[in-house]
Amino acid sequence: MSLHSTGTETGSGAMRPTAQAPRAAGHDHDACVEAALAAAERICALRKARLTPNRRRVLELIWNSHDVVGAYDILAELQKEDPSAKPPTVYRALDFLMGLGLIHRIESANGFTRCEAPERAHVCQFLICDSCGLVEELHSTRLAGELDAQAENAGFQPGFQIVEVHGRCRAC
């Protein structure tokens, strides 16, 4: 994996401020991030995995945005706090978080986004706004089942599905 900007930068190399992240009226973004971190702690405890301070911080940086966040964006933020932060540290944290289902990789943007339901097994699809970068996670078992059925009818055995729909969100 190479360090690649996903376009979520402001031009100065910094991630978008969290003030832009909440889209819904009444959305308490700080509570949302704290709930995600608490869920991560529970999941790690159940699976006997260690949520190190670095892994926790990477997860927090991803949750601080409702956009796709690239590894380069994360590294830049970590280097503001610790100039010695290096790419392998970010990649190891991302691999760990993905392995526990705490984040998702958005293939088309070469970046990462939060998982809205990490405490339960689920299929998901993503709506990605090409204007503002907002990522919405959907959970349609019907769509996943239909894709599996069509693959089976074609004699194809799928390993996993990634459904990313690009367009414009309601706010844009």
Side-chain angles (χ1 to χ4, degrees):
M1 184 187 310
S2 65
L3 285 179
H4 175 73
S5 173
T6 62
T8 59
E9 297 177 330
T10 62
S12 64
M15 293 172 60
R16 292 182 185 179
T18 58
Q20 292 179 5
R23 299 286 202 268
H27 175 78
D28 183 349
H29 191 67
D30 291 337
C32 159
V33 172
E34 285 306 313
L37 295 173
E41 293 282 355
R42 286 189 302 274
I43 290 166
C44 286
L46 285 171
R47 297 183 186 168
K48 304 208 184 316
R50 191 163 167 253
L51 188 63
T52 64
N54 185 65
R55 292 168 176 170
R56 187 179 202 287
R57 182 66 178 131
V58 169
L59 181 61
E60 182 179 24
L61 289 170
I62 291 170
W63 268 88
N64 277 338
S65 175
H66 283 262
D67 301 349
V68 176
V69 180
Y72 177 82
D73 302 320
I74 294 167
L75 179 62
E77 287 298 310
L78 291 177
Q79 286 177 332
K80 288 178 184 177
E81 301 160 12
D82 176 8
S84 68
K86 301 287 185 231
T89 304
V90 173
Y91 294 130
R92 282 191 297 268
L94 292 169
D95 286 344
F96 173 85
L97 297 169
M98 281 191 309
L100 289 178
L102 298 170
I103 62 173
H104 296 291
R105 178 168 172 74
I106 301 296
E107 298 291 331
S108 63
N110 193 23
F112 304 87
T113 193
R114 71 224 176 277
C115 177
E116 298 285 347
E119 294 185 277
R120 64 178 174 82
H122 63 283
V123 296
C124 57
Q125 303 83 28
F126 302 98
L127 302 178
I128 304 165
C129 181
D130 291 325
S131 181
C132 72
L134 176 73
V135 178
E136 291 288 334
E137 182 176 332
L138 305 177
H139 303 108
S140 174
T141 54
R142 195 172 104 208
L143 175 59
E146 180 62 26
L147 288 171
D148 281 341
Q150 287 194 26
E152 185 178 316
N153 288 342
F156 185 80
Q157 190 162 15
F160 64 93
Q161 295 180 18
I162 299 172
V163 178
E164 299 177 12
V165 180
H166 286 261
R168 293 180 68 118
C169 72
R170 177 179 309 144
C172 291

